[in-house]
Amino acid sequence: LRDDPRPARAVKAFFILSLPRSRTAWLANFLTYENSYCFHEGLLEGSSVAALSRLFASTFKPIVGNSDCGNILFIDELRASFPEAKLVIVERPLGEVVDELHDMGLSDFDPEMLEVAEHRLALAKRSLEALVVNFHDMDENACRHIWQYCIGTPFDENRWRMLDGLDIQIILSKKLAAMRRNGSNLESLMGRAH
């Protein structure tokens, strides 16, 4: 979604903040339900947080979120554009994340950017009002809290049961194609993340 000068429609927003490999794709699926829509890595679609606002409005849902390990890198911009947004921090040790990336055959990631993200998550945990969940404790109770905190509707236990055993992951070839297609957007965003 390219930058567009038209104002975006207001939505109740939420953001999942995490390191990579912390169930962001699963949470995006889980939190997309009836009156809510949750993007997975929605920041890839625009060159600014303003573009993300328009992307949110394009869903025509009253509750919209973004489950994206990149959110933490732009937390100041996100808080300025979405001051009332709910924040969820999914904690996972950096060493585990790095090990899993290596196990997947991904070795060209930027370790310094991961360290920056880890540091910013720690700061956000201390300084921002957020629901904090440990990656290893994402059971029915934790997901019920996330659901009620982000979308505020009665928890659907059937949806939880349906998704509980699923390992929802990105299709790496499609992710890489999206990154190539939106390379200029990513460069613009990443230039602001440092």
Side-chain angles (χ1 to χ4, degrees), residues 2-38:
R2 301 290 178 228
D3 287 333
D4 182 338
R6 293 176 294 180
R9 187 176 60 82
V11 299
K12 177 181 169 188
F14 64 88
F15 295 96
I16 308 297
L17 312 173
S18 70
L19 293 174
R21 310 302 305 156
S22 298
R23 296 192 83 182
T24 55
W26 188 92
L27 284 165
N29 188 310
F30 178 64
L31 295 169
T32 297
Y33 181 81
E34 293 182 349
N35 289 329
S36 66
Y37 189 93
C38 186

Side-chain angles (χ1 to χ4, degrees), residues 90-110:
V90 178
E91 294 183 301
R92 187 172 190 195
L94 180 58
E96 286 183 13
V97 170
V98 170
D99 289 347
E100 191 166 332
L101 290 170
H102 284 295
D103 290 347
M104 293 177 63
L106 299 174
S107 58
D108 61 344
F109 58 87
D110 183 347

Side-chain angles (χ1 to χ4, degrees), residues 10 17 25 32 48 77 82 93 97 100-101 115 123 152 159-160 174 183:
L17 312 173
T32 297
S48 68
E77 290 178 47
F82 302 93
V97 170
E100 191 166 332
L101 290 170
E115 289 173 8
L123 287 174
R159 182 159 181 78
W160 157 256
K174 288 188 176 189

Side-chain angles (χ1 to χ4, degrees):
L1 191 66
R2 301 290 178 228
D3 287 333
D4 182 338
R6 293 176 294 180
R9 187 176 60 82
V11 299
K12 177 181 169 188
F14 64 88
F15 295 96
I16 308 297
L17 312 173
S18 70
L19 293 174
R21 310 302 305 156
S22 298
R23 296 192 83 182
T24 55
W26 188 92
L27 284 165
N29 188 310
F30 178 64
L31 295 169
T32 297
Y33 181 81
E34 293 182 349
N35 289 329
S36 66
Y37 189 93
C38 186
F39 287 95
H40 180 242
E41 300 180 347
L43 286 168
L44 287 177
E45 299 301 320
S47 61
S48 68
V49 171
L52 188 63
S53 289
R54 286 184 289 281
L55 184 65
F56 279 19
S58 74
T59 67
F60 298 103
K61 299 282 187 175
I63 304 163
V64 185
N66 186 35
S67 185
D68 190 331
C69 61
N71 282 337
I72 193 61
L73 299 174
F74 306 99
I75 192 61
D76 294 335
E77 290 178 47
L78 291 171
R79 294 299 293 157
S81 294
F82 302 93
E84 303 298 319
K86 301 283 187 170
L87 303 176
V88 176
I89 297 172
V90 178
E91 294 183 301
R92 187 172 190 195
L94 180 58
E96 286 183 13
V97 170
V98 170
D99 289 347
E100 191 166 332
L101 290 170
H102 284 295
D103 290 347
M104 293 177 63
L106 299 174
S107 58
D108 61 344
F109 58 87
D110 183 347
E112 288 180 21
M113 188 63 74
L114 285 178
E115 289 173 8
V116 167
E118 179 187 44
H119 177 71
R120 289 188 181 185
L121 280 168
L123 287 174
K125 181 181 170 185
R126 288 193 305 268
S127 64
L128 298 176
E129 184 177 325
L131 176 64
V132 179
V133 179
N134 185 292
F135 171 80
H136 296 289
D137 296 333
M138 297 254 307
D139 60 6
E140 181 178 358
N141 190 47
C143 289
R144 179 185 307 271
H145 282 101
I146 293 169
W147 178 289
Q148 291 172 338
Y149 184 74
C150 291
I151 61 179
T153 62
F155 183 68
D156 186 332
E157 292 179 21
N158 292 326
R159 182 159 181 78
W160 157 256
R161 284 189 202 98
M162 179 183 75
L163 294 174
D164 180 40
L166 298 181
D167 183 11
I168 299 171
Q169 297 190 38
I170 62 165
I171 300 171
L172 192 54
S173 60
K174 288 188 176 189
K175 174 61 69 187
L176 293 172
M179 291 172 78
R180 283 190 293 276
R181 183 176 62 250
N182 295 312
S184 61
N185 293 343
L186 289 173
E187 288 174 20
S188 174
L189 282 168
M190 294 313 292
R192 291 194 299 271
H194 283 55

